[in-house]
């Protein structure tokens, strides 16, 4: 019985040592790679990169897509490039609701 209590006590001690702190350590990266899955419906693979400024109030987006075939076009092959500069009304802020951390 003593062995069981000792093992149980040691496991509680290690859990307390390895537990994460309650501070907001979640951060959003400044560069995000995005894939548009809905583009697969029209046989297009689109990949984009979005880069935010340090305050997350503006971003620059570059996306490129390759179309492999479609009935709406003659040959159905092609590609496209999208450049976007976005300015947000309010910058992203850290939110914690119901123990879920996110940027909004």
């Amino acid at each position: 019985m003593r062995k069981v209590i000792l093992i149980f006590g040691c496991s509680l001690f290690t859990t307390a040592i390895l537990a994460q702190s309650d501070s907001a350590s979640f951060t959003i990266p400044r560069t995000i790679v995005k894939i548009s899955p809905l583009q697969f419906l029209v046989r297009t693979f689109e990949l984009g990169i979005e880069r935010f400024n340090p305050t997350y109030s503006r971003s620059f987006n570059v996306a490129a897509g390759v179309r492999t075939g479609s009935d709406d076009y003659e040959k159905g092959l092609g590609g496209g490039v999208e450049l976007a500069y976005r300015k947000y009304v309010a910058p992203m802020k850290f939110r914690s609701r119901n123990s879920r951390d996110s940027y909004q």
Side-chain angles (χ1 to χ4, degrees):
M1 184 68 177
R2 285 184 181 175
K3 249 185 192 180
V4 172
I5 293 174
L6 182 63
I7 292 172
F8 183 71
C10 288
S11 67
L12 287 177
F13 182 69
T14 57
T15 304
I17 289 175
L18 298 176
Q20 296 176 353
S21 64
D22 290 337
S23 66
S25 61
F26 175 76
T27 58
I28 187 171
R30 286 189 51 206
T31 304
I32 299 173
V33 177
K34 303 185 291 184
I35 295 176
S36 302
L38 290 177
Q39 294 291 334
F40 292 136
L41 296 174
V42 291
R43 299 180 189 170
T44 302
F45 176 74
E46 186 171 304
L47 181 69
I49 298 174
E50 187 166 3
R51 174 81 174 164
F52 293 95
N53 68 345
T55 60
Y56 296 101
S57 60
R58 297 176 184 169
S59 70
F60 184 72
N61 185 35
V62 177
V66 177
R67 183 177 304 268
T68 59
S70 177
D71 297 332
D72 297 333
Y73 302 100
E74 276 184 34
K75 296 181 182 179
L77 300 174
V81 176
E82 176 185 336
L83 300 173
Y85 177 75
R86 297 177 179 152
K87 183 176 179 182
Y88 301 99
V89 176
M92 290 189 200
K93 294 182 181 177
F94 179 77
R95 304 273 189 225
S96 182
R97 293 184 186 165
N98 300 333
S99 71
R100 295 179 115 184
D101 298 336
S102 64
Y103 274 86
Q104 188 177 31

